[in-house]
Amino acid sequence: MSKSVRRWIPVSLYEIAGIESWLSDLSAQGYALERFGLHFAYFRRTEPCKMIYRLELLPRPMEEPDDEMLDFYLYNGWEYVTTMNRLFWVFRALPGTVEIHTDAVAQGYSYEKLSRKLKQSALVVFAAFLLIAAMIAGIYLSSEWPVLQLVQDSIALNQFLLLLVELTALIQALRIYCSIHRLVRRLKSGLPMEHYGNYRRRRNVHVAASVILSAAVIASMFCSIWGMKKSWEMPLSEVSAPLPLLPLDMVEKSPSFAYRSGLFQGKDHDNFVRCGWSVLSPVQYQIGQRGIVSGEEWPDHSGEYSPSMQIRYYRLISSALSDPLIDDLIYRYVERYYAPDNNFDRMKLSAAGLDRAELFTAAGKQILLVHAGNQVMMLQYYGEKNLAEYTDALAGILAGWSE
């Protein structure tokens, strides 16, 4: 018994003329159809022979025609081969055999139900596409800091990949519906069904859709796994790898300074490093630092002087995102926080190697934002020192972290 040979189906199963032409061409090459799968058809090797294939729309849901039907088709020269997708029976015969259908109008009415079903399916896919698009647009368009959210959100790519999958499915659903709808109009006008289709030309569209869908699924899985792998949190004291860090003790410059641990449930919530990942910012850190200067108090005598600093660092995939990201950081951590009075001082700074540097001061808090090329860094500092003195140091840090 000859071994089955698998061939990828080059067009949609609803491309009737294309499927029939493809099967006939393979028969001439010595491949006789055995059965259909979802994406592949299976053949057995035979002597090359010219055969014609026809797809017959099932009159009702059933796997195979009954014996009476089989005898009728066989009497007229048509051999039943298999059922395709619970939608079509597949028959074959020698060239010149009288066609199964000679009344095109009656055949057209038999395809109307399929056309209505495909139209409903296309409308459902269209509604799903609009819903997903509206949800994704709502997330980011309603956000007060959309660029910051996109940069920090590791699932943003998955959302857009889902939208791409839905768009591809919508295009396919519309193509299938339009194909069957045109067929119905042709048949009801009295013209017989075409049985030759250029499946080689249409194969490119089918391949493109399959590649897009497969690539989107693989990319989504990869990004989810990679994002989890690249995200971690550790106490600052346990991180030995280089960090984009301006040490708090370097800012305070006091021999009495010491880092203070804020342990809660086994985690240090004062001195820590969080590493994140997203497509727009493959390298990003959040670094917390807190300390105590023994023997010193806050100027208002509210307690022991305990300065702190939080650093956010982003290495972006494009420097074009740097300014929009800084604008969102300013709005998120300065303007919105201190609205509506805008009770803060704003100072533009400069340093060799920096493209932008701005310092905001309000209520004992300083926020310094800098960027160089595709790198953005924000420092939030509670303390009595002046961060403006460290722009050159930050320029050096970013230079050391540039790709």
Side-chain angles (χ1 to χ4, degrees), residues 17 103-109 111 178-196:
D103 188 343
V105 176
Q107 190 180 15
Y109 282 106
Y111 273 89
C178 290
S179 174
I180 298 299
H181 181 66
R182 285 193 299 267
L183 174 61
V184 170
R185 292 178 59 184
R186 175 186 175 87
L187 293 172
K188 292 177 71 174
S189 70
L191 295 174
M193 180 185 293
E194 290 184 347
H195 295 291
Y196 174 78

Side-chain angles (χ1 to χ4, degrees), residues 49 73 160 253 344 372:
C49 63
Y73 285 115
F160 287 104
K253 298 178 181 176
F344 56 82

Side-chain angles (χ1 to χ4, degrees), residues 111-119 177 180-181 184:
Y111 273 89
E112 269 195 323
K113 183 178 179 180
L114 176 61
S115 179
R116 290 194 298 269
K117 181 179 178 181
L118 292 174
K119 182 179 180 180
Y177 165 69
I180 298 299
H181 181 66
V184 170

Side-chain angles (χ1 to χ4, degrees), residues 329-399:
L329 289 168
I330 290 172
Y331 181 76
R332 168 68 177 86
Y333 292 100
V334 182
E335 295 176 350
R336 183 176 180 275
Y337 188 83
Y338 294 103
D341 299 327
N342 290 335
N343 187 24
F344 56 82
D345 295 324
R346 183 172 191 167
M347 180 187 304
K348 290 189 176 182
L349 307 173
S350 62
L354 294 181
D355 298 315
R356 181 177 176 182
E358 294 191 53
L359 177 64
F360 298 84
T361 305
K365 179 179 181 180
Q366 298 176 59
I367 300 178
L368 177 61
L369 298 107
V370 299
H371 99 73
N374 66 333
Q375 298 180 93
V376 172
M377 197 168 182
M378 181 180 75
L379 294 82
Q380 297 171 279
Y381 171 67
Y382 287 93
E384 295 302 310
K385 305 301 180 181
N386 184 7
L387 283 187
E389 299 175 2
Y390 295 92
T391 52
D392 289 330
L394 292 175
I397 292 171
L398 294 182

